[in-house]
Structure formats: structure tokens, C-alpha cells
């Protein structure tokens, strides 16, 4: 999920899903932890996210961008990714869109908890790591 500039972004093109077909689900979990860390600690990414949060209430375009970047794109991408993982037998059969919602919602919450609370980053990262580990335990196909 690094782009050409070595910065983390949510993947936009679904073609990148193919890159994950052979990826271990544990490695995939680590990629989301790295992505979370980037969006919290990269100064430009953090300021951009905070600006969109504030401006979404006065600018329809900012609201559109916020929803696209931080809600719709990640959920769509993760749904497609989980669909592939289910089809490849790495995840148990389930509704991929609900799985994506269950997976991404805590990431989204912790991202914004960082902005509004005094919780330390390492504590948030630990919560996220535990969430991803439990999610994988609950959804990984034990036969793979």
C-alpha cells in the first residue's frame, strides 16, 4: 500500500488486489497497521485528514472527499480484497461486505480517537494490532 513516493495510501485500483492473492493474511494485517501509523503520524496526511473533517460541514466537496477517501474507497477495496480471500479459501465463507465493515470500522474509530482523546499512539496501535489478530483468527480458514 505504498505508492511510488514511498507513502502509504489506500489502494485505489482494484488491479492491486492480484498482488494480495498470494499474501499471507498476517502480512496483510501488518500492512494495515503500517497504513494506520502513516495516517496518524505523517504530518501532511494527518493535517489533510483533519482539514477534511472540519471542512466537511461547510463544504459539500470536502464532505464528498472525506467520504470517498476515508469511508467509501477503503470499504470498497477491503470488500473486494476479502471476496478474493474467500474465493481463494484463505478466509471462511461469509459476506465480504459485512466482513469489510467489521474490519474497517475499528480502524476508522481508532484513527479519529487519536484526534480527540489523550490516548497514546502506542496504546491505539496495540488495540489495532489486537483487533486485526482477533479478526484474522475469526475469519481465516483453518485449513489454509
Amino acid at each position: 500500500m505504498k505508492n511510488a513516493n514511498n507513502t502509504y495510501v489506500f489502494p485505489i485500483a482494484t488491479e492491486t488486489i492480484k498482488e494480495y492473492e498470494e499474501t499471507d493474511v498476517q502480512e496483510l494485517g501488518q500492512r494495515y497497521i503500517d497504513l494506520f501509523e502513516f495516517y496518524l503520524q505523517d504530518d501532511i496526511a494527518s493535517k489533510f485528514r483533519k482539514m477534511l473533517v472540519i471542512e466537511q460541514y461547510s463544504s459539500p466537496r470536502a464532505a464528498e472527499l472525506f467520504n470517498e477517501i476515508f469511508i467509501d474507497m477503503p470499504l470498497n477495496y477491503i470488500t473486494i480484497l476479502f471476496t478474493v480471500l474467500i474465493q481463494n479459501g484463505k478466509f471462511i465463507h461469509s459476506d465480504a461486505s459485512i466482513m469489510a465493515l467489521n474490519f474497517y470500522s475499528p480502524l476508522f474509530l481508532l484513527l479519529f480517537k487519536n484526534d480527540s482523546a489523550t490516548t497514546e499512539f502506542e496504546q491505539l496501535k496495540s488495540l489495532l494490532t489486537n483487533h486485526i489478530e482477533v479478526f484474522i483468527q475469526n475469519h481465516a480458514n483453518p485449513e489454509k
Side-chain angles (χ1 to χ4, degrees):
M1 294 198 262
K2 280 188 178 182
N3 68 12
N5 297 323
N6 260 353
T7 56
Y8 285 91
V9 294
F10 282 111
I12 295 173
T14 56
E15 298 85 48
T16 59
I17 294 290
K18 292 179 183 171
E19 139 186 3
Y20 298 119
E21 287 180 351
E22 298 302 319
T23 300
D24 181 82
V25 291
Q26 299 293 340
E27 182 184 332
L28 189 61
Q30 183 58 50
R31 289 181 184 189
Y32 274 91
I33 292 167
D34 294 344
L35 183 68
F36 177 78
E37 190 168 345
F38 169 76
Y39 273 104
L40 285 181
Q41 297 191 325
D42 182 82
D43 193 47
I44 294 171
S46 180
K47 286 178 181 175
F48 177 70
R49 180 176 48 79
K50 290 173 185 177
M51 177 199 66
L52 285 179
V53 168
I54 293 166
E55 291 299 317
Q56 71 178 327
Y57 300 106
S58 60
S59 165
R61 180 63 182 138
E64 194 177 295
L65 272 173
F66 176 82
N67 282 309
E68 181 180 335
I69 294 170
F70 292 101
I71 299 172
D72 296 336
M73 282 179 20
L75 283 174
N76 290 337
Y77 181 81
I78 295 168
T79 298
I80 294 167
L81 174 62
F82 286 174
T83 299
V84 169
L85 292 173
I86 291 167
Q87 289 170 348
N88 290 344
K90 290 187 179 186
F91 274 169
I92 59 172
H93 182 71
S94 190
D95 183 321
S97 62
I98 298 300
M99 286 175 65
L101 191 60
N102 288 331
F103 179 80
Y104 182 66
S105 295
L107 275 78
F108 185 83
L109 174 71
L110 293 174
L111 191 64
F112 289 92
K113 182 175 176 61
N114 181 74
D115 295 341
S116 62
T118 58
T119 310
E120 295 290 324
F121 170 76
E122 288 303 319
Q123 186 178 7
L124 293 173
K125 186 176 174 182
S126 176
L127 282 169
L128 177 62
T129 301
N130 290 340
H131 160 66
I132 290 172
E133 287 173 4
V134 168
F135 184 89
I136 290 171
Q137 286 172 5
N138 290 335
H139 293 91
N141 186 347
E143 297 172 8
K144 289 281 181 163

